[in-house]
Amino acid sequence: MSRKNKNLSADKGQMESLLEAFLKWGMLIVVAILPLLYFPGRVASYITSKEFFFIGATALLAIVWIWLMVKESRYRLGKWNLIALAPLALFLASFTVSSLFGVDPRISFYGSIESGIGMIFLWSAFIYVCILASFVKVQGFQFIKRLLRAQLAGAVILTIATFFTDFAFNIHSQMLNRSLGGAMMGNALIAAAYLLMSVFFGIILFTLESKRGKWLTGVALILIIFSPLFFLDATVWVGENGIQFLVKNPLSFLGHARMATLSLYGGLFISLFMWLWLGAKKRWARILGVAGCILIVLSVGFATWQVFNPGSEVNGLFIQEAAKRPLDWNIAIKGYRERPLLGWGQETYQNVYLKHLDPEVFDADNGGEVYALHPHNATLEILSNGGIAGLITYVMFILGIIVTAIILYRKKIISAAFLASLVALLSSYLLQNQMVFDSVASYVLLFSIAGILAGLLGRSEQENPSKAMLAHYATAVIATGLLAVAWIAFAYLPARKVTEMKRIGDEPSNVRINNYRHLFHSAGSAIFKADPEFYTLTLANSYNSQRQYFYDHADARFVAEQEIAELQKQMDSIFDDEQSDFKFMLSGLQLANLHMFLKQAGSPEDFARAKKYFDRAAMLSPNHAQLYLAYAETMIDSQNISAARDLIQKSLSLNAKNREVWGNLYHFESQFGTVDAAKKAQSMIDHFEEYNTF
């Protein structure tokens, strides 16, 4: 009997119970629909739709799993299951410690609203992996096949959606096009990272399927590989002169997510050569496999050398494709050097970015991105967030997956093709992650690898069936209560809160006023208080853009003044010296200025509030040009003209190519300075016309 058939035959057993059926279908549904979820009624819909669904679903699945283990001891994790999962648990424990002692434990545990990768989510993913390992331990390859089918089905739907985004056949869907080609994943690079992993999960499924299943799986893989993200840029798909465009822009063959595409192709070659090396029966094929693996290692080494070799063609191409990423990477390295052991805590790169902000980012040639949640390099993000301890435990986690897979191969539990595809998946994943960052869906897939292997490793473990004792029931009752509370606190209430944020944000000013206290202080506001700038800075920017309208319409000015006064009251209630959210502080300063503008006068309370927010913001990001420009406005209102000039000059020294700074200097000099100074500022506005404003 073949290895595959032997494993599949061992999976046949007794009729499954209701608890087993609920868990099985629950896990399959979660992995299938997770990348597709998009609820437009929430803020940051691409993130919050997935994050809180996953946390809530995992809590419910965990409750059922606990009672299943009480009833059937075979679903309890054994020694080898736990050993295989230990590296992942250690990695998460390390980041938990980093977050507890980091700069902002609130954001580290809840995660930012725009990213959602807080420790609560990561530990939820670990619980999901434990459930997965438990099921694989009992049901083996039968369940693995179902899981991979469900995952591939979701990936295929996501792939089809990418054909109808702004990178292919644009149907002008708000859900698809607002994401810049990433469909329901919210970003093309994030979608490509997820689909890259899906390809290798699909190859593993291909090795397990029957003849008919292989055909269906093969069609799905071809569809993903030849999607707009991996093959042919949008111009080729829909342009009238596609062939000419390809000749002039040969990189367009790689699709939009080029690093993910290169990683995918490299991974396919790794999978092929490793399979030949380990699984081929003919000697010449095995030699070809070994030679191919050696060639890949040498090629990666040579390419890496060329990338960091100034003046080389590869280095020039890398700089062109990397855009502003090298600036982000240098900032992440500075953050690591400041806190080398434990880092800044999970989800805190934005704090690092703003504290060590390089004024070069204001240059439009570098994208003009003055805020960043990730350094676009997963390795450096781990180093910045978790320090050297986090990086070491992450490497241990990845090595743990590889070692477990090798053990399973040597025990003849998995095939050479399975092992080769797994190594190729990890290699591709790690390579493309040097230019992007992880998402909710990609973390679930990565952790699931550990769960599948841990479950397989425990299948050979001898067990003595045991009956449930009173202590088991007591433990299950307590755990059920805790998980129910977790479901309410970490899934239901936050989901309701982000829906409330969206609803209130869409209301007219005179209606919003009466809702702010509830927004800031009602149940579920912990997720909002962990990341308040997501709401307050958006509103401050909106008000700034309507200054002229308020100036011309007294009735609207009065309503806006009342709303800002109420918003300031609520912001002051959550302001504290431990608050590390720069954008929250900047929005507080901007709203203070707006309040004075709307009243056409400033009070001592207004000036004190502006100074409070400015002082804290300057500690968090001393090189942020927009901050000094905003406080210069406060100084003008307080008639401190000399201080205002110094602040504008400070802003100019940090951002000399920004038209908005020169525009402010022009208006300042026109009112308080000389004609020549105003003319010079005007000439610079014209000179830097193509450069960004804030």
Side-chain angles (χ1 to χ4, degrees), residues 352-399:
V352 179
Y353 186 84
L354 289 164
K355 181 171 184 180
H356 296 283
L357 187 67
D358 187 336
E360 286 294 316
V361 305
F362 293 112
D363 192 326
D365 292 338
N366 291 320
E369 186 176 15
V370 295
Y371 305 117
L373 289 172
H374 307 279
H376 286 80
N377 182 300
T379 304
L380 289 178
E381 185 166 14
I382 288 171
L383 196 60
S384 172
N385 290 349
I388 192 65
L391 183 61
I392 290 173
T393 54
Y394 180 74
V395 171
M396 290 173 62
F397 163 51
I398 298 296
L399 290 178

Side-chain angles (χ1 to χ4, degrees), residues 316-345:
L317 182 61
F318 171 77
I319 292 175
Q320 175 185 334
E321 291 296 312
K324 71 176 281 286
R325 286 179 175 85
L327 291 175
D328 294 338
W329 300 343
N330 287 332
I331 291 172
I333 292 171
K334 289 178 182 178
Y336 158 70
R337 288 173 177 168
E338 182 174 344
R339 300 173 69 99
L341 182 59
L342 294 176
W344 294 60

Side-chain angles (χ1 to χ4, degrees), residues 484-554:
V485 171
W487 180 83
I488 294 172
F490 303 139
Y492 171 69
L493 290 178
R496 194 173 70 171
K497 180 58 62 174
V498 295
T499 302
E500 181 186 8
M501 290 171 63
K502 172 69 172 175
R503 177 181 59 79
I504 294 177
D506 291 341
E507 290 174 343
S509 178
N510 61 329
V511 178
R512 285 197 303 253
I513 297 175
N514 300 319
N515 291 324
Y516 280 131
R517 181 168 180 81
H518 190 269
L519 177 65
F520 276 79
H521 299 288
S522 60
S525 61
I527 180 69
F528 176 66
K529 292 176 181 177
D531 194 17
E533 55 80 13
F534 183 84
Y535 189 88
T536 58
L537 186 63
T538 301
L539 197 62
N541 289 336
S542 174
Y543 271 127
N544 265 323
S545 67
Q546 300 179 71
R547 280 179 173 244
Q548 187 61 44
Y549 178 81
F550 292 136
Y551 184 82
D552 296 335
H553 298 82

